[in-house]
Amino acid sequence: MDKLKKRTKIVATLGPASSKKDVLTRMIAKGVDVCRLNFSHGSQEDHLKVINTINEINQENPFNVGILADLQGPKIRIGKMKEGGAILVNGSQVEITTEELIGDEKRIYITYDNFPNDVKEEEIILLDDGKLQLRVLTTNHKDTVTCEVVHGGILTSRKGVNLPNTKVSIPSLTEEDLDNLNFALDHGADWIAMSFVRSAEDIYQCKAIIKEKGSHARVIAKIEKPEAIDNIDAIIEATDAIMVARGDLGVEMPMEEVPGLQKIIVQKCRNLAKPVIIATQMLESMITTPRPTRAEVNDVANSVIDGADAVMLSGETSVGEFPEIVIETMAKVITHVESTSYPYYSEKEALGTVEVTRIPDAICSSSIFLAEKTKASAIAVMTASGYTAMEISSYRPNADIYVFTGNRNLLKQLSLVWGVNTFIYEKYESTDGTIQDVNGLLKQYHLVEPGQIVINTSSTPLHAKGRTNTIRVSEVM
Ligand SMILES: Nc1ncnc2c1ncn2[C@@H]1O[C@H](COP(=O)(O)OP(=O)(O)OP(=O)(O)O)[C@@H](O)[C@H]1O
Ligand SMILES: CC(=O)C(=O)O
Ligand SMILES: [K+]
Ligand SMILES: [Mg+2]
């Protein structure tokens, strides 16, 4: 099965609706680039089954779908609710308790032991991404907090709890996260997403564990707390990629600030060549309806125009009724916008407008300049670390990006990165021979045609595996 040509990548959360091999294979053929396993839901056994399915699909098809393990982080949740959930009525009273029980209209279990000590009277408690709102009446400072229902609704199992006014005292990697992190690394996750990141230190801690395990997984910092916004530059510097986790961000901060923050964060990430994912509620209504709202279509389109590397689906593909139609819809919106909106991408600083001191960065920005001047149809990148691929991609060039690497870890990892198509290339000949060889492969795969221009970047001498220091412009013969 061949994949549709599309430059902005799709991350799809897998769950009961999308874990069957035939369904997932079709979803991938229709545009999924990275599968997200949400360690907030499902058992390790469930996740392992899905990982095995993804590996099989990658082996049997020309796909390199990446695996993103999303750790729960210091997220507070309610526990199990009675069958079908409970209906909380405005004005009624409900007790939140640290005593483990099946929740109903009267009492609800919370997974956070310090909760009765950390909250104060009058503070606001938001449930299920803020859909329901409670107000604290009293706390016994031991195990029970009594609340009034301000905005009621139906409450089902394991929904998230946000305490926008409360300082929460839980570490960024909990015991459960460490266990899931080890599990994800043991089973070959390409990306580890850390939830509720508060500082660059959180990222360094996670990276140290990954390194100690000898894994090549890279880290995604999920931006969903005001503290992360305060420390955004240091976090982008420290991390390998960013996720704008709008679900929690829009509850922890005034929601009207999220659209502007999305644009600022995307631009900052592009300037540092760090991949950025836009997440949550992108096609939310498609959980139960086969057509999106016009506002949702607009959201996907505008995230593409903002310059995101990837757009993400959550409930739409994990538990929704129409996982395949969701992917088709998202891919259709992306490809249409990409075919018409190129002039709308905001500029990343181009050659001459910014001081480019590092040689590889200067090579990348010059390649972009040359690609534009020569109307090149492809930029072919030789890379060992993946850095050149991300740097070239961050300019969002018109020319297609093809990455040739001997580093097998990059094959799936770079699936997250805008416009990047990766091939394994393990021969080390002369630079001359390699460029001819690579361009020959592109022609053989029907990715370029005679008469078209290709920009090649590489490092000379090639066998030294040094930094990118060479550009070549050639016409396909
Ligand atoms: N494996 C699963 N089994 C049962 N229900 C699930 C499963 N995965 C997800 N869900 C339900 O679907 C909803 C959306 O799932 P998803 O994994 O996309 O979560 P999310 O919205 O990204 O974030 P959160 O982790 O905050 O719930 C969840 O809130 C949960 O109620
Ligand atoms: C994805 C996620 O965690 C959020 O939007 O909050
Ligand atoms: K999560
Ligand atoms: Mg979140």
Side-chain angles (χ1 to χ4, degrees):
M1 251 187 267
D2 263 345
K3 282 187 83 158
L4 191 95
K5 193 165 164 183
K6 163 174 91 35
R7 312 199 80 189
T8 307
K9 303 299 179 76
I10 297 179
V11 180
T13 305
L14 303 190
S18 44
S19 300
K20 289 223 174 61
K21 188 171 172 183
D22 57 334
V23 174
L24 184 55
T25 306
R26 288 194 297 269
M27 286 170 65
I28 293 169
K30 285 170 178 168
V32 173
D33 299 285
V34 175
C35 293
R36 170 178 178 247
L37 307 181
N38 186 354
F39 282 82
S40 298
H41 306 288
S43 63
Q44 288 187 350
E45 198 188 335
D46 295 335
H47 291 304
L48 184 55
K49 274 193 202 138
V50 176
I51 292 171
N52 291 335
T53 306
I54 298 168
N55 290 341
E56 279 174 32
I57 295 174
N58 274 339
Q59 267 159 28
E60 293 162 12
N61 300 275
F63 305 153
N64 303 304
V65 174
I67 297 177
L68 185 165
D70 193 329
L71 304 177
Q72 174 164 247
K75 176 146 186 156
I76 305 165
R77 284 181 192 273
I78 60 159
K80 256 196 139 131
M81 295 296 291
K82 67 178 192 186
E83 190 68 33
I87 299 172
L88 303 190
V89 179
N90 290 358
S92 66
Q93 283 189 16
V94 60
E95 279 181 8
I96 311 232
T97 173
T98 56
E99 179 194 333
E100 199 161 345
L101 47 74
I102 304 286
D104 58 22
E105 284 80 2
K106 293 271 153 234
R107 294 184 84 199
I108 298 165
Y109 166 56
I110 192 163
T111 59
Y112 177 28
D113 285 338
N114 241 341
F115 180 69
N117 280 318
D118 279 8
V119 291
K120 297 187 189 65
E121 280 173 26
E122 290 301 321
E123 282 186 354
I124 296 296
I125 300 171
L126 296 164
L127 304 172
D128 191 5
D129 284 348
K131 291 188 192 87
L132 285 74
Q133 186 176 330
L134 312 179
R135 183 169 64 89
V136 176
L137 297 174
T138 57
T139 169
N140 70 359
H141 296 285
K142 200 167 120 269
D143 57 11
T144 303
V145 175
T146 308
C147 303
E148 182 193 34
V149 179
V150 180
H151 296 300
I154 189 156
L155 186 61
T156 54
S157 295
R158 296 204 38 83
K159 290 297 181 196
V161 179
N162 294 87
L163 307 169
N165 321 113
T166 312
K167 268 256 171 279
V168 176
S169 49
I170 313 178
S172 287
L173 284 170
T174 64
E175 287 294 318
E176 191 186 331
D177 291 332
L178 292 170
D179 185 43
N180 287 328
L181 174 58
N182 273 312
F183 171 86
L185 297 176
D186 284 342
H187 294 98
D190 301 288
W191 293 92
I192 302 292
M194 265 188 99
S195 296
F196 299 97
V197 164
R198 289 168 280 199
S199 68
E201 273 311 307
D202 293 343
I203 305 295
Y204 293 128
Q205 188 198 346
C206 188
K207 282 193 166 184
I209 297 169
I210 294 172
K211 196 169 169 199
E212 203 176 309
K213 288 275 286 189
S215 161
H216 297 279
R218 298 190 189 209
V219 176
I220 299 171
K222 291 174 68 183
I223 306 302
E224 47 189 344
K225 284 207 83 71
E227 291 96 317
I229 297 295
D230 293 340
N231 299 323
I232 192 73
D233 290 321
I235 290 172
I236 296 175
E237 181 84 41
T239 192
D240 300 309
I242 288 280
M243 183 194 296
V244 185
R246 305 183 305 182
D248 285 292
L249 186 61
V251 182
E252 300 260 338
M253 308 222 8
M255 64 179 103
E256 62 275 16
E257 291 183 25
V258 173
L261 288 171
Q262 168 172 327
K263 288 179 198 295
I264 292 167
I265 294 170
V266 168
Q267 192 67 29
K268 283 179 184 288
C269 287
R270 281 185 55 207
N271 286 343
L272 290 187
K274 305 281 172 114
V276 53
I277 308 166
I278 305 299
T280 306
Q281 293 183 337
M282 299 213 84
L283 295 173
E284 183 81 0
S285 73
M286 291 190 79
I287 292 175
T288 52
T289 336
R291 277 176 80 82
T293 68
R294 306 307 172 264
E296 287 164 348
V297 172
N298 239 283
D299 184 42
V300 174
N302 278 303
S303 296
V304 170
I305 292 169
D306 283 347
D309 285 78
V311 283
M312 191 173 106
L313 296 157
S314 301
E316 298 93 327
T317 49
S318 63
V319 291
E321 285 179 53
F322 308 100
E324 292 178 50
I325 304 178
V326 165
I327 302 301
E328 265 170 34
T329 305
M330 190 170 238
K332 198 157 67 178
V333 174
I334 292 171
T335 43
H336 182 77
V337 174
E338 287 173 346
S339 69
T340 56
S341 74
Y342 179 73
Y344 302 132
Y345 281 129
S346 59
E347 285 275 316
K348 172 178 157 114
E349 290 86 7
L351 185 67
T353 63
V354 72
E355 201 185 337
V356 182
T357 48
R358 294 184 65 240
I359 291 172
D361 292 352
I363 294 287
C364 289
S365 80
S366 306
S367 312
I368 299 296
F369 176 81
L370 283 171
E372 275 171 25
K373 281 285 167 203
T374 60
K375 300 199 168 40
S377 55
I379 304 176
V381 175
M382 311 290 305
T383 182
S385 69
Y387 180 81
T388 316
M390 296 200 213
E391 184 62 31
I392 294 274
S393 158
S394 70
Y395 287 89
R396 307 297 186 249
N398 236 337
D400 294 329
I401 305 168
Y402 299 107
V403 173
F404 291 83
T405 184
N407 178 353
R408 295 199 163 262
N409 300 313
L410 291 183
L411 199 59
K412 285 159 67 215
Q413 236 155 27
L414 293 179
S415 296
L416 185 65
V417 183
W418 187 95
V420 169
N421 308 282
T422 311
F423 303 92
I424 292 297
Y425 187 85
E426 281 166 328
K427 282 189 274 183
Y428 284 94
E429 300 180 18
S430 65
T431 304
D432 239 27
T434 302
I435 288 178
Q436 266 178 29
D437 202 20
V438 158
N439 292 356
L441 288 172
L442 291 178
K443 198 168 107 178
Q444 188 189 322
Y445 301 152
H446 302 289
L447 298 171
V448 296
E449 290 169 19
Q452 291 184 328
I453 304 289
V454 179
I455 310 288
N456 295 89
T457 71
S458 62
S459 99
T460 315
L462 207 68
H463 55 80
K465 297 191 186 182
R467 291 187 168 166
T468 297
N469 59 10
T470 309
I471 311 179
R472 161 108 141 234
V473 185
S474 54
E475 190 179 324
V476 181
M477 292 302 170

PDB file of all heavy atoms in Angstrom, residues 148-164:
ATOM      1  N   GLU A 148     -19.580  21.758  45.895  1.00  0.00           N
ATOM      2  CA  GLU A 148     -20.856  22.060  45.261  1.00  0.00           C
ATOM      3  C   GLU A 148     -20.652  21.933  43.750  1.00  0.00           C
ATOM      4  O   GLU A 148     -19.618  22.348  43.223  1.00  0.00           O
ATOM      5  CB  GLU A 148     -21.279  23.488  45.611  1.00  0.00           C
ATOM      6  CG  GLU A 148     -22.631  23.842  45.027  1.00  0.00           C
ATOM      7  CD  GLU A 148     -22.968  25.333  45.080  1.00  0.00           C
ATOM      8  OE1 GLU A 148     -22.033  26.149  44.952  1.00  0.00           O
ATOM      9  OE2 GLU A 148     -24.120  25.676  45.226  1.00  0.00           O
ATOM     10  N   VAL A 149     -21.638  21.388  43.050  1.00  0.00           N
ATOM     11  CA  VAL A 149     -21.558  21.283  41.591  1.00  0.00           C
ATOM     12  C   VAL A 149     -21.965  22.628  40.993  1.00  0.00           C
ATOM     13  O   VAL A 149     -23.096  23.076  41.177  1.00  0.00           O
ATOM     14  CB  VAL A 149     -22.486  20.159  41.066  1.00  0.00           C
ATOM     15  CG1 VAL A 149     -22.417  20.082  39.542  1.00  0.00           C
ATOM     16  CG2 VAL A 149     -22.136  18.818  41.703  1.00  0.00           C
ATOM     17  N   VAL A 150     -21.015  23.288  40.320  1.00  0.00           N
ATOM     18  CA  VAL A 150     -21.312  24.590  39.705  1.00  0.00           C
ATOM     19  C   VAL A 150     -21.830  24.369  38.279  1.00  0.00           C
ATOM     20  O   VAL A 150     -22.878  24.878  37.901  1.00  0.00           O
ATOM     21  CB  VAL A 150     -20.057  25.492  39.692  1.00  0.00           C
ATOM     22  CG1 VAL A 150     -20.356  26.843  39.049  1.00  0.00           C
ATOM     23  CG2 VAL A 150     -19.522  25.682  41.110  1.00  0.00           C
ATOM     24  N   HIS A 151     -21.058  23.594  37.481  1.00  0.00           N
ATOM     25  CA  HIS A 151     -21.521  23.194  36.144  1.00  0.00           C
ATOM     26  C   HIS A 151     -21.509  21.679  36.123  1.00  0.00           C
ATOM     27  O   HIS A 151     -20.449  21.072  36.133  1.00  0.00           O
ATOM     28  CB  HIS A 151     -20.603  23.723  35.046  1.00  0.00           C
ATOM     29  CG  HIS A 151     -20.581  25.217  34.957  1.00  0.00           C
ATOM     30  ND1 HIS A 151     -21.715  25.957  34.706  1.00  0.00           N
ATOM     31  CD2 HIS A 151     -19.588  26.107  35.114  1.00  0.00           C
ATOM     32  CE1 HIS A 151     -21.410  27.240  34.714  1.00  0.00           C
ATOM     33  NE2 HIS A 151     -20.122  27.371  34.965  1.00  0.00           N
ATOM     34  N   GLY A 152     -22.678  21.079  36.094  1.00  0.00           N
ATOM     35  CA  GLY A 152     -22.791  19.623  36.152  1.00  0.00           C
ATOM     36  C   GLY A 152     -22.687  18.992  34.779  1.00  0.00           C
ATOM     37  O   GLY A 152     -22.332  19.632  33.792  1.00  0.00           O
ATOM     38  N   GLY A 153     -23.014  17.703  34.754  1.00  0.00           N
ATOM     39  CA  GLY A 153     -22.958  16.939  33.505  1.00  0.00           C
ATOM     40  C   GLY A 153     -22.684  15.495  33.822  1.00  0.00           C
ATOM     41  O   GLY A 153     -22.687  15.103  34.995  1.00  0.00           O
ATOM     42  N   ILE A 154     -22.398  14.723  32.774  1.00  0.00           N
ATOM     43  CA  ILE A 154     -22.147  13.299  32.990  1.00  0.00           C
ATOM     44  C   ILE A 154     -20.656  13.079  33.226  1.00  0.00           C
ATOM     45  O   ILE A 154     -19.819  13.655  32.523  1.00  0.00           O
ATOM     46  CB  ILE A 154     -22.713  12.458  31.824  1.00  0.00           C
ATOM     47  CG1 ILE A 154     -22.643  10.961  32.169  1.00  0.00           C
ATOM     48  CG2 ILE A 154     -22.000  12.715  30.525  1.00  0.00           C
ATOM     49  CD1 ILE A 154     -23.642  10.146  31.396  1.00  0.00           C
ATOM     50  N   LEU A 155     -20.338  12.295  34.251  1.00  0.00           N
ATOM     51  CA  LEU A 155     -18.939  12.060  34.608  1.00  0.00           C
ATOM     52  C   LEU A 155     -18.642  10.566  34.522  1.00  0.00           C
ATOM     53  O   LEU A 155     -19.246   9.762  35.237  1.00  0.00           O
ATOM     54  CB  LEU A 155     -18.676  12.581  36.031  1.00  0.00           C
ATOM     55  CG  LEU A 155     -17.224  12.528  36.500  1.00  0.00           C
ATOM     56  CD1 LEU A 155     -16.315  13.383  35.611  1.00  0.00           C
ATOM     57  CD2 LEU A 155     -17.113  12.992  37.950  1.00  0.00           C
ATOM     58  N   THR A 156     -17.698  10.205  33.621  1.00  0.00           N
ATOM     59  CA  THR A 156     -17.351   8.790  33.450  1.00  0.00           C
ATOM     60  C   THR A 156     -15.955   8.520  34.024  1.00  0.00           C
ATOM     61  O   THR A 156     -15.248   9.456  34.412  1.00  0.00           O
ATOM     62  CB  THR A 156     -17.413   8.389  31.951  1.00  0.00           C
ATOM     63  OG1 THR A 156     -16.595   9.286  31.215  1.00  0.00           O
ATOM     64  CG2 THR A 156     -18.841   8.452  31.414  1.00  0.00           C
ATOM     65  N   SER A 157     -15.566   7.252  34.050  1.00  0.00           N
ATOM     66  CA  SER A 157     -14.343   6.798  34.722  1.00  0.00           C
ATOM     67  C   SER A 157     -13.070   7.518  34.282  1.00  0.00           C
ATOM     68  O   SER A 157     -12.897   7.836  33.111  1.00  0.00           O
ATOM     69  CB  SER A 157     -14.131   5.305  34.438  1.00  0.00           C
ATOM     70  OG  SER A 157     -15.161   4.563  35.007  1.00  0.00           O
ATOM     71  N   ARG A 158     -12.160   7.706  35.224  1.00  0.00           N
ATOM     72  CA  ARG A 158     -10.777   8.132  34.988  1.00  0.00           C
ATOM     73  C   ARG A 158     -10.612   9.465  34.267  1.00  0.00           C
ATOM     74  O   ARG A 158      -9.595   9.719  33.637  1.00  0.00           O
ATOM     75  CB  ARG A 158      -9.974   7.031  34.261  1.00  0.00           C
ATOM     76  CG  ARG A 158      -9.844   5.783  35.113  1.00  0.00           C
ATOM     77  CD  ARG A 158      -8.665   4.870  34.820  1.00  0.00           C
ATOM     78  NE  ARG A 158      -7.398   5.475  34.478  1.00  0.00           N
ATOM     79  CZ  ARG A 158      -6.510   5.930  35.363  1.00  0.00           C
ATOM     80  NH1 ARG A 158      -6.773   5.876  36.649  1.00  0.00           N
ATOM     81  NH2 ARG A 158      -5.381   6.439  34.941  1.00  0.00           N
ATOM     82  N   LYS A 159     -11.599  10.328  34.366  1.00  0.00           N
ATOM     83  CA  LYS A 159     -11.456  11.639  33.733  1.00  0.00           C
ATOM     84  C   LYS A 159     -10.441  12.484  34.517  1.00  0.00           C
ATOM     85  O   LYS A 159     -10.253  12.295  35.723  1.00  0.00           O
ATOM     86  CB  LYS A 159     -12.819  12.348  33.669  1.00  0.00           C
ATOM     87  CG  LYS A 159     -13.775  11.710  32.671  1.00  0.00           C
ATOM     88  CD  LYS A 159     -13.250  11.791  31.246  1.00  0.00           C
ATOM     89  CE  LYS A 159     -14.221  11.178  30.269  1.00  0.00           C
ATOM     90  NZ  LYS A 159     -13.578  10.906  28.965  1.00  0.00           N
ATOM     91  N   GLY A 160      -9.809  13.429  33.823  1.00  0.00           N
ATOM     92  CA  GLY A 160      -8.788  14.262  34.435  1.00  0.00           C
ATOM     93  C   GLY A 160      -9.386  15.320  35.354  1.00  0.00           C
ATOM     94  O   GLY A 160     -10.524  15.749  35.182  1.00  0.00           O
ATOM     95  N   VAL A 161      -8.560  15.715  36.344  1.00  0.00           N
ATOM     96  CA  VAL A 161      -8.947  16.765  37.291  1.00  0.00           C
ATOM     97  C   VAL A 161      -7.923  17.892  37.169  1.00  0.00           C
ATOM     98  O   VAL A 161      -6.720  17.633  37.228  1.00  0.00           O
ATOM     99  CB  VAL A 161      -8.925  16.227  38.745  1.00  0.00           C
ATOM    100  CG1 VAL A 161      -9.292  17.321  39.737  1.00  0.00           C
ATOM    101  CG2 VAL A 161      -9.836  15.017  38.894  1.00  0.00           C
ATOM    102  N   ASN A 162      -8.363  19.124  36.976  1.00  0.00           N
ATOM    103  CA  ASN A 162      -7.442  20.265  36.968  1.00  0.00           C
ATOM    104  C   ASN A 162      -7.770  21.180  38.143  1.00  0.00           C
ATOM    105  O   ASN A 162      -8.932  21.441  38.426  1.00  0.00           O
ATOM    106  CB  ASN A 162      -7.548  21.060  35.666  1.00  0.00           C
ATOM    107  CG  ASN A 162      -7.067  20.253  34.481  1.00  0.00           C
ATOM    108  OD1 ASN A 162      -7.833  19.512  33.882  1.00  0.00           O
ATOM    109  ND2 ASN A 162      -5.796  20.379  34.150  1.00  0.00           N
ATOM    110  N   LEU A 163      -6.708  21.646  38.807  1.00  0.00           N
ATOM    111  CA  LEU A 163      -6.859  22.534  39.955  1.00  0.00           C
ATOM    112  C   LEU A 163      -6.117  23.829  39.632  1.00  0.00           C
ATOM    113  O   LEU A 163      -4.970  24.009  40.042  1.00  0.00           O
ATOM    114  CB  LEU A 163      -6.246  21.867  41.201  1.00  0.00           C
ATOM    115  CG  LEU A 163      -6.769  20.450  41.496  1.00  0.00           C
ATOM    116  CD1 LEU A 163      -5.919  19.782  42.571  1.00  0.00           C
ATOM    117  CD2 LEU A 163      -8.226  20.498  41.925  1.00  0.00           C
ATOM    118  N   PRO A 164      -6.768  24.724  38.852  1.00  0.00           N
ATOM    119  CA  PRO A 164      -6.040  25.900  38.370  1.00  0.00           C
ATOM    120  C   PRO A 164      -5.540  26.810  39.481  1.00  0.00           C
ATOM    121  O   PRO A 164      -4.556  27.526  39.295  1.00  0.00           O
ATOM    122  CB  PRO A 164      -7.054  26.616  37.469  1.00  0.00           C
ATOM    123  CG  PRO A 164      -8.374  26.001  37.746  1.00  0.00           C
ATOM    124  CD  PRO A 164      -8.143  24.648  38.339  1.00  0.00           C
TER     125      PRO A 164
END
